[in-house]
Amino acid sequence: MSHIVSRITGRSIGIVAAAMTLAAIASPAQAQDWPARPIRMMIGAGPGGGTDIIARIVADPLARQLGQAVVIENRPGAGTTLASELVSKSEPDGYSTVLMSAGHAVAAAIYKTLRYDSVTDFQAASLVAAIPLVLITRNDSPIKDVKTLIEHARAKPDEPSYGTGGVGTTMHLSAELLQQIEGIKLRHIPHRTAPQLVQALEAGDVDLVFETMPAVLGQIQAGTRRAIAVTTRARFPGLPNVPTLAESGVRDFDVSSWYAVAFPARIPAAIVDRMSAAVAATVKDPDVAKRALDIAFVVRSSTPAETQKHLVAEVRRWRQVVEARGVPQQ
């Protein structure tokens, strides 16, 4: 009997070893043939939002680089997490991607539990674009710049008020980060939409608004609102005279609403590298860059290692801000 068991066991081990060898051979071959059919790019927002807009700007040029269609699938729900969950559980064959936004990292901080790990269940390929956030005031506001804002807040804590698109948004957490760095206290008055925010600012219900650049760029350029600073490390090309928060004395402040292509984890590195190279070529296209900049998106690319490092840093940062500032979790 022991002899029979030994033979069976030996045969089983041989079968397993052969299967593993075939899988190892097949994986590079599949990666070399990728893509052989259309690629799904899921986004965690409905049509017309920032993620949807930039996805549709880059989809066709990216498809030309890859030689296969890139099909946008809007999967809004659960604060952008539905699309991330679907991709995290997809086969790691290169045909299911997610266009992550900064909301992916914010969700990791705001939600107590998620059905996926925001970092380890994904392999990022490349950043695609970023949007600065901007602080705006009324033209007649006594807050002329970041310096006067901080002086006012220190003299009268909790009196300067600011509006955002809601608790737990990138705009809200950016304001919390500003308060944490400068040791000041501002009063948060959330609103549902950008038009409501602008109306509240005009009516004097809030003193400042933190908003994404596309939502208010036209008003700033028309001179009906005053921009006092942008949140990115570099100035926004469309508003070259508006300083950054870092230039205004808020040390190391660099926040954007960013977008990145990511796959489920365990995907062959060759596929990730191919996608990264395709994104890099796409965003170098002058027409793509211009179309994006016209609506306040700044295109960019990065290596897979750089993108994964960025994702890790963003998740860590917003978790620290939520914990330090006592931001309510869901």
Side-chain angles (χ1 to χ4, degrees):
M1 177 66 73
S2 61
H3 180 65
I4 295 172
V5 171
S6 176
R7 281 193 308 173
I8 293 173
T9 304
R11 184 181 179 188
S12 299
I13 292 171
I15 291 171
V16 171
M20 291 176 66
T21 301
L22 288 172
I25 295 170
S27 181
Q30 290 170 353
Q32 289 174 3
D33 293 339
W34 183 87
R37 62 179 191 268
I39 300 163
R40 298 189 306 165
M41 180 179 285
M42 297 190 193
I43 61 175
T51 315
D52 182 72
I53 290 170
I54 193 63
R56 295 184 189 281
I57 287 176
V58 303
D60 286 345
L62 185 60
R64 289 195 292 272
Q65 292 293 331
L66 294 170
Q68 287 288 343
V70 176
V71 181
I72 307 300
E73 289 191 16
N74 297 87
R75 294 298 185 99
T80 78
T81 66
L82 178 58
S84 293
E85 181 185 352
L86 289 170
V87 170
S88 74
K89 291 174 169 51
S90 297
E91 286 296 317
D93 56 9
Y95 295 101
S96 293
T97 68
V98 59
L99 186 63
M100 286 180 176
S101 69
H104 177 90
V106 169
I110 291 296
Y111 289 98
K112 293 179 181 179
T113 58
L114 291 171
R115 296 180 183 177
Y116 56 85
D117 186 285
S118 300
V119 173
T120 60
D121 282 345
F122 299 90
Q123 174 56 62
S126 177
L127 289 165
V128 173
I131 301 173
L133 308 182
V134 60
L135 282 71
I136 63 171
T137 66
R138 296 183 303 279
N139 286 337
D140 61 354
S141 171
I143 300 173
K144 305 295 183 184
D145 51 30
V146 174
K147 181 181 177 181
T148 56
L149 166 62
I150 293 171
E151 289 174 347
H152 187 183
R154 285 180 177 157
K156 298 182 178 180
D158 208 31
E159 183 175 296
S161 60
Y162 71 95
T164 73
V167 173
T169 60
T170 307
M171 292 79 78
H172 174 221
L173 296 190
S174 298
E176 293 292 344
L177 179 60
L178 171 61
Q179 293 171 84
Q180 181 180 338
I181 292 172
E182 291 299 321
I184 59 176
K185 189 174 182 182
L186 306 174
R187 182 160 46 93
H188 183 208
I189 304 176
H191 294 73
R192 288 185 176 275
T193 67
Q196 288 177 347
L197 279 172
V198 173
Q199 290 171 9
L201 181 65
E202 184 65 25
D205 296 332
V206 296
D207 299 309
L208 297 159
V209 164
F210 270 77
E211 186 52 276
T212 55
M213 187 65 77
V216 292
L217 178 60
Q219 297 166 52
I220 297 169
Q221 291 176 330
T224 58
R225 302 288 181 271
R226 179 196 300 149
I228 64 171
V230 296
T231 60
T232 43
R233 188 176 300 279
R235 294 192 181 196
F236 174 61
L239 297 173
N241 295 325
V242 177
T244 68
L245 277 166
E247 288 176 326
S248 303
V250 184
R251 64 186 184 281
D252 300 325
F253 203 101
D254 183 16
V255 173
S256 66
S257 185
W258 50 267
Y259 303 88
V261 176
F263 293 101
R266 304 173 307 282
I267 189 168
I271 292 177
V272 181
D273 290 340
R274 175 81 192 280
M275 175 62 83
S276 183
V279 172
T282 296
V283 301
K284 286 179 182 176
D285 184 328
D287 181 59
V288 172
K290 183 180 184 306
R291 288 177 62 200
L293 188 58
D294 285 346
I295 52 174
F297 289 81
V298 179
V299 294
R300 58 187 298 193
S301 64
S302 55
T303 67
E306 290 168 342
T307 317
Q308 197 74 10
K309 182 179 178 181
H310 175 78
L311 174 59
V312 170
E314 286 285 282
V315 169
R316 182 186 302 119
R317 169 165 63 177
W318 295 130
R319 281 177 172 165
Q320 289 173 345
V321 169
V322 166
E323 181 178 355
R325 301 292 300 173
V327 176
Q329 290 183 292
Q330 300 178 31

